[in-house]
Amino acid sequence: MPMQPRRWTPPPAPPRARDTRSTPEMPPLRLLELPGKGPEDVVVAADGRLLTGIDNGAILAVDPETGAVEQIAHTGGRPLGLHAEADGSLLICDAQRGLLRLDKPGGEIEVLVAEVNGEPLNFTSNVVAAADGTIYFSESSRRWPLREWMGDIMEHSGTGRLLRRNLDGTIEILLDGLDFANGVVLAPDGSSVVVAETGAYRVTRYWLSGERAGTSDPLVQNLPGFPDNMLLGSDGLVWVSLASPRNPLLDTLLPLPGVLRKISWAIPERLQPKPARTVWAMAFDFDGNQVHDLQRAGTDYALVTAVAEHDGNLYLGSLSEPAIAVTRVP
């Protein structure tokens, strides 16, 4: 796809972006091997199993203790973000098919949203649901597909969206022009929904109630890395996966004439810069205060695109690895 670079001046990277380990360091990882690659998101089901989707379209349920794996569905596309309901149903963002619902393990898959205002969803990314059944979900890019996700980061297209599916099935666009919209988390009191903007190094909050209803502001900004999927932990915190630290070359190119990024995109993929290997997750409260910062070297696991906290355990997913990684909050 021809690149249409948009110039943007990023905030100066914080010193933390240059570190490769946190203090204290993230504890060692235990890997739960999968029959395929790319557990891009990980959520904890009501029965305690871990749910994830892999690159062949399968939805898997994984026992976090024994590692036993069961395939509970197949989307026919590429599943990304998930939301597990208490009744055993599962909301699925499929990058190719849109927003789906699995009624039960081994059950039927229903397409909830495939298009918005007559335009097919291009890159459905992450999802969360309120207790009343209202669904909030993100679309990362209206230009670039999942297989060329790096193209959107380099182009800085600003075509991501945060959407709401109401109880009557109507769709509202809550926020448009987002820089690679990604993880979505609903505040426990329902006052706001937050969305990660991977390409802008920030987490943006959209107010649902109160005097600020219908407006947005940054919950966290100028992160030291690229935020990806997010999840509300059992500790009440917003857990954010950081797929990679900030890239100094990209930060240098973004404010410059777009032809430089066009040239970079045109060179063979094997010669293009790759995301730095790291394992990284952070947690924030709903005032934007950092509570946890856990990182270790990406020697055996990397490109962490998901973090789920449950009772002090951390379950990590990756766009490229053939396993779910398990560690603990120190």
Side-chain angles (χ1 to χ4, degrees), residues 162-180:
L162 175 66
L163 305 115
R164 175 166 59 196
R165 183 184 187 269
N166 298 308
L167 299 182
D168 61 3
T170 57
I171 307 299
E172 292 181 77
I173 301 170
L174 301 183
L175 291 173
D176 205 345
L178 300 179
D179 292 312
F180 205 95

Side-chain angles (χ1 to χ4, degrees), residues 279-325:
V279 183
W280 202 351
M282 303 179 81
F284 301 87
D285 63 24
F286 279 90
D287 291 320
N289 300 308
Q290 178 186 302
V291 180
H292 296 290
D293 177 4
L294 299 172
Q295 185 186 20
R296 63 183 296 108
T299 306
D300 302 315
Y301 201 83
L303 201 59
V304 173
T305 53
V307 54
E309 185 278 337
H310 186 71
D311 294 339
N313 293 305
L314 294 180
Y315 304 105
L316 309 177
S318 167
L319 187 62
S320 59
E321 300 287 348
I324 293 171

Side-chain angles (χ1 to χ4, degrees), residues 195 200-205 217-224 238 240 282-285 287-290:
V195 57
Y201 319 125
R202 67 182 172 226
V203 177
T204 297
R205 171 174 46 195
D217 60 8
L219 178 71
V220 184
Q221 51 189 336
N222 201 20
L223 283 162
V238 179
V240 184
M282 303 179 81
F284 301 87
D285 63 24
D287 291 320
N289 300 308
Q290 178 186 302

Side-chain angles (χ1 to χ4, degrees), residues 135-148:
I135 299 172
Y136 301 89
F137 65 104
S138 61
E139 182 181 25
S140 291
S141 173
R142 293 168 70 185
R143 281 185 38 78
W144 297 85
L146 171 63
R147 66 180 180 275
E148 294 183 299

Side-chain angles (χ1 to χ4, degrees), residues 97-132:
R97 299 190 62 203
L99 178 64
L100 316 177
R101 175 187 278 131
L102 174 68
D103 61 350
K104 61 183 178 181
E108 298 296 322
I109 288 181
E110 174 190 4
V111 179
L112 296 181
V113 186
E115 60 180 40
V116 176
N117 296 331
E119 177 186 353
L121 287 168
N122 179 67
F123 191 158
T124 324
S125 189
N126 201 255
V127 60
V128 70
D132 68 356

Side-chain angles (χ1 to χ4, degrees), residues 150 154 263-275:
M150 191 63 186
M154 289 188 67
I263 294 170
S264 298
W265 184 245
I267 65 176
E269 183 177 356
R270 68 181 186 278
L271 300 177
Q272 293 177 10
K274 300 293 189 296

